[in-house]
Amino acid sequence: MLAPSTRPVVLDPHGAGNACAHCDARSHSVCNAVPDSDIARLAAIATVSHAQPGTTLIQEGDPATHFFNISAGTVRMYKLLPDGRRQITGFAGMGHFLGLAVSDTYAFSAEAIDTVRYCRFSRARVRTLLDDYPAMEKRLLEVASTELVAAQDQMLLLGRKTARERLASFLMTQSRQGVFCHGTRAQFVLPMSRGDIADYLGLTIETVSRTFTKLRSEGFIDIPSATEITIRAPVALEGMATGMG
Amino acid sequence: MLAPSTRPVVLDPHGAGNACAHCDARSHSVCNAVPDSDIARLAAIATVSHAQPGTTLIQEGDPATHFFNISAGTVRMYKLLPDGRRQITGFAGMGHFLGLAVSDTYAFSAEAIDTVRYCRFSRARVRTLLDDYPAMEKRLLEVASTELVAAQDQMLLLGRKTARERLASFLMTQSRQGVFCHGTRAQFVLPMSRGDIADYLGLTIETVSRTFTKLRSEGFIDIPSATEITIRAPVALEGMATGMG
DNA sequence: CGCCGTCATTGATCCAGATCAACGCCGGAC
DNA sequence: GTCCGGCGTTGATCTGGATCAATGACGGCG
């Protein structure tokens, strides 16, 4: 056993090392509920991994053995019907926490869209950690509540909005949360394909493509390349997104 | 001040009295995280109320000052678009907990469908209570996680299922959670109107009605009255609900 | 009892978005 | 370079469910 020090060095057999202390995503994630002084405890149960585009992180129905925390890249969460119809329930980016579930199996699948860096935590060990850090449990409840609100918004979108309104909503959300170019929120990159957007918005690829084209021809947006969007009329789009356009 | 006793009698000015100790809904709700011995503390911060059909319990956008716990009856939660389009995000029955939100305003509205009995708790007081009963915080996280899973299922329904599949899903859920007649799960009452069902499933009243009629003419269900349903072919309906029919 | 308002059902028609079908663009393999 | 495969766009057509329009079934109330 090493002598105690103010910030113990932890040698992690899984390769996480002291990763948590220097993790860019920590301040964006539930991990910030663990104080600096105890960060090594968090690092000790974390395994840092990478996933290439298209890799499955979570398979719906598999035993829910781990939690995941995304530290870079974007993940799509989705559910399938037996004939292949897919509904993407959300995209998870930096700081996003995955795997909340009461059931002992995962309720959805998750795949890397681009190259993803993530931490994996065993559920059993996280449970132990939660007993010592009630603040983390509170943070998880916050996260779950926030996601619940987002899910309700998405239900309104899927149940009652037109294709145009869905795309406008999607673009406004992306411009708030997305990956930015040139330091401005008005221009950003879409890491996901048209097919992903369609399956997220309950539409087809063709309708997504046509609606993008229409919004461009009307001057609301610009599409420098298939993966880049510039918002030209944020106020008008916001109105459209909320059903007033 | 009264002398201490093993089970103090609490005189509640709001009329809750010792209500929690005898509450039918307690075992179905987050309140069961508070032990019997301390139930008076819970009762002290609860206000029992009744709401007539159509009454608004929660108005979207209002300051989120209270939590609610439904002890009898059914509530509809919903969101509106400015032009009146409505999406019902869920129905809350006995034991259901309402008002989880990080934001300081409610993210949805809630109305009584039939006569509803409920408890109201000030958020600030619940927060204090949570600090003393971590088990209750855990229960809330469980509740939120369960609802998140249900919300993801509903997104799949709204985004990708046909009208027929939506109705079948709805009926199977109701037959699991609903109000039963004659002690069998195969026959139950629908407390909500066709309009509510339509706004829950992202359809119109007419499509709901036509699809019910079709399912009846095909022998999958019986409709003794507009508010009663008998499941005749549960296996076939379950298959239909999961996209295999 | 009969009137009336609300809700559900049913029928006729319409249309937003799905489906079917090319075609263009770009990037990676060789 | 050019071949090839995946993705995105665009056009033509189709269709499930929406919309428009009656009509029927209750239940509450005077």
Side-chain angles (χ1 to χ4, degrees):
Chain A
M1 194 82 180
L2 292 172
S5 73
T6 48
R7 187 171 289 194
V9 174
V10 173
L11 299 173
D12 183 336
H14 301 102
N18 201 358
C20 295
H22 308 109
C23 179
D24 292 337
R26 184 166 152 234
S27 65
H28 298 80
S29 84
V30 289
C31 299
N32 64 7
V34 177
D36 277 359
S37 53
D38 295 345
I39 200 66
R41 253 194 89 180
L42 188 62
I45 68 165
T47 308
V48 181
S49 299
H50 289 259
Q52 292 309 305
T55 313
T56 296
L57 301 191
I58 294 176
Q59 179 83 48
E60 180 177 354
D62 277 1
T65 55
H66 291 81
F67 290 118
F68 297 80
N69 213 326
I70 309 303
S71 41
T74 308
V75 166
R76 58 176 165 249
M77 287 118 82
Y78 63 91
K79 294 177 71 85
L80 292 176
L81 290 172
D83 62 3
R85 280 173 286 170
R86 181 179 68 156
Q87 179 64 39
I88 292 186
T89 55
F91 298 105
M94 200 225 278
H96 209 104
F97 185 84
L98 292 188
L100 272 183
V102 179
S103 152
D104 50 4
T105 58
Y106 294 116
F108 57 86
S109 302
E111 285 175 2
I113 288 181
D114 43 23
T115 300
V116 166
R117 185 160 48 87
Y118 64 95
C119 294
R120 231 178 49 140
F121 304 87
S122 120
R123 287 180 144 241
R125 289 183 183 190
V126 168
R127 246 186 292 275
T128 319
L129 200 69
L130 285 182
D131 292 335
D132 293 354
Y133 300 102
M136 194 157 178
E137 188 120 41
K138 278 194 203 302
R139 280 285 283 129
L140 280 182
L141 184 56
E142 266 177 45
V143 166
S145 304
T146 305
E147 294 210 12
L148 213 40
V149 170
Q152 288 160 359
D153 281 338
Q154 195 66 2
M155 287 189 231
L156 176 63
L157 180 149
L158 292 169
R160 291 302 181 214
K161 289 186 186 176
T162 64
R164 193 181 173 78
E165 291 164 349
R166 292 180 200 204
L167 259 297
S169 301
F170 174 71
L171 290 175
M172 293 320 284
T173 305
Q174 287 300 120
S175 93
R176 258 176 262 120
Q177 312 177 347
V179 183
F180 312 117
C181 302
H182 314 112
T184 163
R185 313 218 131 192
Q187 183 159 13
F188 51 88
V189 167
L190 298 176
M192 68 292 285
S193 71
R194 295 291 187 269
D196 289 339
I197 298 173
D199 285 349
Y200 179 55
L201 299 179
L203 301 168
T204 59
I205 293 179
E206 294 93 327
T207 299
V208 169
S209 181
R210 271 188 255 272
T211 307
F212 269 147
T213 304
K214 192 114 193 293
L215 291 175
R216 181 183 51 190
S217 75
E218 293 166 338
F220 294 113
I221 60 172
D222 227 352
I223 312 178
S225 81
T227 60
E228 270 172 289
I229 296 282
T230 309
I231 304 291
R232 286 216 174 288
V235 177
L237 280 171
E238 189 56 46
M240 210 181 285
T242 53
M244 296 183 299
Chain B
M1 196 84 179
L2 291 172
S5 73
T6 47
R7 186 170 289 197
V9 174
V10 173
L11 299 174
D12 183 336
H14 300 101
N18 200 3
C20 295
H22 308 110
C23 177
D24 292 338
R26 185 166 150 230
S27 65
H28 296 80
S29 82
V30 290
C31 299
N32 65 5
V34 176
D36 277 358
S37 52
D38 295 345
I39 201 67
R41 253 193 89 181
L42 188 62
I45 68 164
T47 307
V48 182
S49 299
H50 289 259
Q52 292 311 305
T55 312
T56 298
L57 301 191
I58 293 176
Q59 179 83 48
E60 179 177 355
D62 277 1
T65 54
H66 292 81
F67 290 119
F68 296 79
N69 213 327
I70 309 304
S71 42
T74 308
V75 165
R76 59 179 164 248
M77 287 118 83
Y78 63 91
K79 291 176 73 86
L80 292 175
L81 290 172
D83 63 2
R85 279 174 287 171
R86 181 178 69 159
Q87 180 63 40
I88 291 185
T89 56
F91 298 105
M94 201 226 278
H96 209 102
F97 186 86
L98 291 189
L100 272 183
V102 179
S103 153
D104 50 5
T105 59
Y106 293 116
F108 56 85
S109 302
E111 286 174 2
I113 288 182
D114 43 22
T115 300
V116 166
R117 185 159 47 88
Y118 64 96
C119 295
R120 231 177 50 140
F121 305 87
S122 120
R123 288 181 143 238
R125 289 184 183 188
V126 169
R127 246 187 292 275
T128 319
L129 200 70
L130 285 182
D131 291 335
D132 293 353
Y133 300 103
M136 195 158 177
E137 186 120 41
K138 277 195 203 306
R139 280 286 280 129
L140 280 182
L141 184 56
E142 266 177 47
V143 167
S145 305
T146 305
E147 295 210 12
L148 213 41
V149 170
Q152 287 161 359
D153 281 337
Q154 193 68 0
M155 288 189 232
L156 176 62
L157 179 147
L158 292 169
R160 292 300 181 215
K161 289 187 185 174
T162 65
R164 194 182 172 76
E165 290 164 351
R166 292 179 200 204
L167 258 298
S169 301
F170 174 72
L171 290 175
M172 293 322 283
T173 306
Q174 288 299 121
S175 93
R176 259 176 261 120
Q177 312 176 348
V179 183
F180 312 118
C181 303
H182 314 115
T184 163
R185 310 220 134 194
Q187 183 159 11
F188 52 86
V189 167
L190 298 177
M192 67 292 286
S193 70
R194 296 290 187 270
D196 290 338
I197 298 173
D199 284 349
Y200 180 55
L201 299 178
L203 301 169
T204 58
I205 293 179
E206 294 92 327
T207 299
V208 168
S209 182
R210 271 187 254 273
T211 308
F212 270 147
T213 304
K214 192 116 193 292
L215 290 175
R216 179 184 50 189
S217 76
E218 293 167 339
F220 294 113
I221 62 172
D222 227 353
I223 313 178
S225 81
T227 60
E228 272 173 288
I229 296 282
T230 309
I231 303 292
R232 287 220 173 285
V235 177
L237 279 172
E238 189 56 46
M240 210 181 286
T242 53
M244 295 182 300

